[in-house]
Amino acid sequence: MTKLETSERLVHVPLGERSYDILIGPGLMARAGGEISTRIKGRRAAIVTDENVGSRYLDGLMDSLQTDGIEAVSVTLPAGEKTKSFDHLTTVCDVLLEARIERNDTVIALGGGVIGDLTGFAAGIVRRGVRFVQIPTSLLSQVDSSVGGKTGINARQGKNLIGIFNQPDLVLADTDVLDTLSEREFRAGYAEVAKYGLIDKPDFFDWLETNWREVFAGGSARIEAIAVSCQAKADVVAADERENGRRALLNLGHTFGHALEAATQYDSSRLVHGEGVSIGMVLAHRFSARMNLVSPDLADRVEAHLKAVGLPTRMDQIPGELPPTDVLMDAIAQDKKVKSGKLTFILTRGLGQSFVADDVPTSEVQRFIEEMRPS
């Protein structure tokens, strides 16, 4: 097992032959070559990154790999959600094949959730699967998208509709890189941190209400929040790897959020994923109150906390005009959690008491969205 520095945390994802470690702490980027070389036999690697992340970290990662005897090539893609497309997937696959990356070699995702999702998909389909390492560089990707093996790209019909489950071999969550994020990016990632408390960890949500400023400031509170989030996701993934049941809870707020992202055509100047999740979680709690599952006071409490950290909580905070309700409903109907044409939402019966609600009446959802829309 890896020898940890005193400031580091390790979370293990127990999935039999597909088990892997998540290392969390400062300085991990510089040690990437050593951590990878102790786990993976191949001596070649391909790094996939985007223009923003690559300009900061690609050279240092290449040096770390070379120091530990790993020969690497790289491909740099445009930044942004629109990169999760067939065209860019083809580009990455071409690079991997031209570099003769073999099954025991490593494909490294260096970036946020977009790069992680796209790279993991490519790694899973090239030669029917090569080794795969996540080096997430945003808070959102460190606590959510880099863990659990969901990979894929977007389709015209909606987000993440084309992809595979492909577990990484290692996740290196270097907390130092979070210091370079904009306030908006960090807040967007924090929405996913808060989500774990709202799913089934009410004590964690209580802790976040008290300590969120320290999480934003960095240091031990930030590492603790990331570690708790990763452990929460690891526990769920270990129990339900392919989202046949409990794992669906991780989508709290996402059904509404994904629809809002689609409604903005994935324009990050208007809405980024974590902001959509923030609004979506408030909507999920308000819809739960509408269905008489929980007191409206809880929805107020959730909104107050997300608002306090600077996240949007209402649809009228999204810049620009939203499409008609029927267009939003079409996006919801394309959600991956829809079964046999019936809507599935993650709702709640109390703080940290989320559950999967099957066969939610479409008419109720439509009326609710109409009420929540900007007037």
Side-chain angles (χ1 to χ4, degrees), residues 23-30 135-137 142 172-178:
L23 297 182
I24 304 158
L28 287 169
M29 188 86 71
I135 304 182
T137 58
Q142 288 191 2
L172 298 175
D174 187 335
T175 53
D176 281 343
V177 305
L178 302 181

Side-chain angles (χ1 to χ4, degrees), residues 233-252:
K233 184 158 189 181
D235 291 343
V236 173
V237 170
D240 179 21
E241 182 180 0
R242 292 182 174 265
E243 198 171 277
N244 294 314
R246 179 174 172 74
R247 183 167 178 171
L249 293 174
L250 295 172
N251 292 299
L252 175 65

Side-chain angles (χ1 to χ4, degrees), residues 87 103 189 322:
D87 287 345
R103 287 185 175 180
L322 292 175

Side-chain angles (χ1 to χ4, degrees), residues 255 259 327-336 338 341-343:
T255 301
V327 175
L328 292 175
M329 291 300 297
D330 285 344
I332 288 172
Q334 285 284 358
D335 190 87
K336 299 180 297 301
V338 172
K342 297 178 180 178
L343 299 183

Side-chain angles (χ1 to χ4, degrees), residues 196-207 301 351-353:
Y196 292 109
L198 295 173
I199 291 172
D200 63 358
K201 290 185 165 30
D203 290 347
F204 183 48
F205 190 78
D206 291 342
W207 183 86
R301 178 180 173 184
L351 181 62
Q353 298 179 45

